[in-house]
């Protein structure tokens, strides 16, 4: 059994648009009503996946969900007088942010030695609450091998669960047992706290985690109020490194101490607010980076190009590289279409530590499959969606056709 980290990126769906549906997500609110470019967005996502494969990392994919979601619209008795936000919700391509698809506990951490996945209920935002049934179907297919995986339904509603975006794992190496850190919000000031403490606790119990190897940590309400609607906007972990903003957690020192006590190999790389303010960290998405260990062994931070546009962030990264910390390289990627909806490189991927041979190969990527995906996107994905196009029946039909073309290219028609 060779356990490794596999990043499952969401393919950006053909209905990608900016409807401003997420209160507390500043980028999405700022870009509400802008024209979107689904074809460019999907190509940017595939280019990011390719870049990671070129580093020698295993790459997986998750498919866009059926949109517009007719089942949802029907349940909401939607007609022409329906609130435009509900119609836009049914068109949302938000499942591209697979960090919110599920919480994943790798096999070395669990009682039964299987990798456990709990699909996220995403109940805090109406447009995201419709995702889980179709996401669950997909996870059950990709991780159908029940000798190695246990896929769970969602935590019951009221207890908001946003999946891996509020979950970090610290370990000496991916295949070793790890410390799982669940970050919940109690208050977000003017904005909602999306991850409920009880949801995190339910997930940890369902996954059969050893209570000595779990921490529940409160996200700093000031971070939520500043626009960090998920913890992965202000912190990210990879193997023994926690890369975090100084103001990410309510109890900063207590959190670091508890992490070091339970995972002695842990190292904290903290960015002080004096160097990069919370606002600048959220604007640039410095922490919504992919922190990865390629086979070369030197840790790399994959940041959005907005980090290069920010002087304080870019200066901080140069100083970091000049020092002798554990993060040795920085790679810049262009995911601007997703970023404009508040989704950086880390939002676009779900990390699973597993043996790739135990996963349905249709969900694993290689470069010829990436070529084929690019062709489908170029041929079928709409070039542009203007706000007034949302709800248009001809466009709806072409979005459905585009998704079907991708499903048949990837031999996944059972997701139709
Ligand atoms: O839930 N944006 C997503 C972004 C999710 C980012 N994920 C992580 N941080 N892991 C959200 O707020 C915008 C859709 C719109 O407004 O049309 C949106 O859903």
């Amino acid at each position: 059994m060779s356990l490794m980290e596999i990043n499952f990126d969401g393919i950006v769906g053909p209905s990608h648009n900016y409807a401003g549906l997420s209160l507390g997500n500043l980028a999405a609110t700022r870009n509400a009503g802008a024209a979107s470019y689904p074809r460019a967005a999907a190509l940017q996502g595939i280019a990011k996946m390719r870049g990671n494969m070129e580093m020698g990392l295993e790459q997986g994919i998750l498919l866009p969900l059926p949109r517009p979601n007719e089942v949802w619209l029907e349940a909401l008795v939607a007609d022409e007088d329906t609130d435009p936000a509900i119609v836009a919700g049914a068109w949302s391509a938000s499942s591209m942010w697979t960090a919110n698809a599920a919480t994943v506990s790798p096999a070395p951490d669990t009682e039964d030695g299987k990798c456990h996945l709990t699909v996220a209920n995403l109940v805090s935002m109406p447009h995201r609450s419709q995702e889980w049934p179709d996401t669950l179907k997909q996870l059950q297919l990709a991780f159908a091998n029940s000798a190695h995986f246990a896929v769970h339904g969602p935590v019951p509603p009221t207890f908001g669960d946003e999946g891996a975006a509020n979950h970090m794992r610290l370990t000496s190496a991916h295949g070793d047992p790890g410390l799982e850190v669940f970050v919940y919000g109690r208050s977000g000031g003017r904005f909602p706290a999306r991850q409920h403490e009880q949801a995190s606790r339910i997930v940890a119990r369902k996954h059969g985690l050893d209570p000595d190897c779990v921490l529940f940590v409160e996200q700093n309400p000031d971070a939520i109020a500043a626009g960090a609607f998920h913890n992965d906007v202000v912190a990210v972990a990879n193997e023994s490194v926690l890369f975090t903003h100084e103001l990410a957690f309510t109890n900063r020192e207590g959190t670091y101490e508890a992490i070091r006590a339970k995972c002695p190999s842990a190292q904290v790389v903290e960015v002080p607010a004096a160097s990069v303010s919370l606002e600048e960290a959220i604007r640039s998405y410095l922490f919504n980076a992919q922190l990865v260990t390629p086979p070369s062994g030197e840790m790399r931070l994959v940041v959005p190009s907005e980090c290069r546009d920010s002087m304080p962030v870019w200066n901080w990264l140069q100083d970091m590289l000049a020092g002798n910390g554990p993060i040795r390289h920085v790679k810049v990627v262009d995911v601007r279409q997703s970023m404009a909806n508040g989704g950086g490189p880390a939002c676009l991927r779900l990390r699973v530590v597993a043996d790739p041979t135990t996963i349905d190969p249709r969900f694993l990527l290689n470069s010829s499959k990436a070529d084929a995906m690019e062709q489908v996107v170029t041929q079928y994905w709409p070039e542009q969606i203007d706000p007034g196009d949302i709800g248009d029946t001809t466009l709806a039909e072409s979005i459905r056709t585009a998704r079907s073309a991708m499903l048949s290219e990837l031999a996944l028609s059972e997701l139709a």
Side-chain angles (χ1 to χ4, degrees):
M1 268 293 267
S2 155
L3 299 183
M4 59 185 75
E5 180 177 281
I6 311 165
N7 287 284
F8 286 80
D9 277 46
I11 300 172
V12 177
S15 67
H16 159 63
N17 69 83
Y18 300 117
L21 301 175
S22 280
L23 177 67
N25 171 341
L26 302 183
T29 305
R30 195 167 49 241
N31 290 299
S36 66
Y37 297 90
R39 191 182 302 164
L43 293 176
Q44 287 170 358
I46 297 169
K48 169 169 99 71
M49 298 185 220
R50 256 190 217 288
N52 286 348
M53 288 194 293
E54 282 159 12
M55 277 186 234
L57 298 169
E58 271 299 322
Q59 183 67 49
I61 43 173
L62 290 172
L63 279 290
L65 305 184
R67 296 290 177 269
N69 186 347
E70 300 300 341
V71 180
W72 198 61
L73 282 175
E74 213 167 285
L76 294 169
V77 206
D79 60 19
E80 52 282 3
D81 296 326
T82 303
D83 179 349
I86 290 189
V87 178
W91 281 58
S92 177
S94 52
S95 67
M96 71 174 86
W97 300 296
T98 51
N100 305 118
T103 307
V104 184
S105 295
D109 300 355
T110 67
E111 202 171 13
D112 62 4
K114 293 183 190 184
C115 173
H116 285 245
L117 299 95
T118 292
V119 71
N121 64 25
L122 297 171
V123 292
S124 301
M125 294 288 142
H127 70 290
R128 302 219 61 181
S129 67
Q130 60 180 320
E131 288 175 34
W132 74 260
D134 291 306
T135 300
L136 181 60
K137 248 188 240 168
Q138 211 168 155
L139 297 176
Q140 284 167 335
L141 206 56
F143 306 104
N145 186 333
S146 58
H148 297 283
F149 297 100
V151 179
H152 304 276
V155 166
T158 70
F159 302 121
D161 177 24
E162 302 268 324
N166 295 297
H167 174 257
M168 304 184 290
R169 182 169 184 262
L170 287 144
T171 171
S172 40
H174 290 308
D176 292 345
L179 165 67
E180 300 202 13
V181 182
F182 292 80
V183 185
Y184 60 86
R186 230 174 228 147
S187 152
R190 60 192 174 139
F191 294 143
R194 295 204 206 177
Q195 181 73 31
H196 197 289
E197 178 181 355
Q198 285 310 327
S200 298
R201 291 187 183 274
I202 293 165
V203 171
R205 283 198 297 273
K206 268 207 296 190
H207 288 192
L209 301 179
D210 175 352
D212 287 340
C213 299
V214 177
L215 274 178
F216 299 97
V217 169
E218 190 193 342
Q219 192 182 359
N220 183 353
D222 294 343
I224 303 176
F229 54 95
H230 290 135
N231 172 64
D232 69 2
V233 176
V234 280
V236 58
N238 175 56
E239 294 188 324
S240 57
V241 174
L242 169 64
F243 178 52
T244 180
H245 192 272
E246 183 187 358
L247 301 176
F249 310 111
T250 302
N251 178 357
R252 166 180 169 263
E253 265 309 324
T255 300
Y256 301 163
E257 264 167 42
I259 288 176
R260 289 193 195 104
K262 292 192 175 215
C263 178
S265 64
Q267 305 174 63
V268 178
V269 178
E270 183 192 76
V271 180
S275 305
V276 176
S277 67
L278 208 43
E279 288 67 28
E280 198 57 22
I282 290 163
R283 204 172 7 251
S284 64
Y285 262 39
L286 168 62
F287 299 95
N288 201 260
Q290 283 187 260
L291 184 56
V292 292
T293 313
S296 69
E298 295 205 316
M299 238 183 246
R300 195 171 291 240
L301 194 67
V302 179
V303 298
S305 49
E306 284 76 358
C307 288
R308 201 171 38 198
D309 303 338
S310 159
M311 214 170 20
V313 168
W314 198 242
N315 287 343
W316 193 89
L317 286 171
Q318 300 316 308
D319 289 349
M320 176 191 79
L321 292 175
N324 58 1
I327 304 172
R328 298 311 320 143
H329 304 275
V330 171
K331 181 179 191 266
V332 175
V333 292
D334 175 3
V335 287
R336 286 185 186 271
Q337 280 292 305
S338 167
M339 281 286 289
N341 246 339
C347 298
L348 286 162
R349 60 92 178 97
L350 179 68
R351 290 180 289 187
V352 177
V353 171
D355 178 344
T357 63
T358 61
I359 294 168
D360 186 322
R362 292 175 296 175
F363 292 91
L364 296 176
L365 192 61
N366 55 39
S367 77
S368 61
K369 208 185 267 190
D371 291 344
M373 280 165 32
E374 274 170 355
Q375 269 180 20
V376 173
V377 166
T378 307
Q379 186 176 348
Y380 292 97
W381 259 232
E383 189 188 350
Q384 178 171 344
I385 298 183
D386 291 315
D389 298 337
I390 294 167
D392 180 80
T393 48
T394 313
L395 180 60
E397 201 41 50
S398 63
I399 286 166
R400 278 190 278 268
T401 306
R403 179 173 179 270
S404 301
M406 188 62 85
L407 293 183
S408 57
E409 179 58 50
L410 300 173
L412 279 165
S413 297
E414 60 256 66
L415 292 174

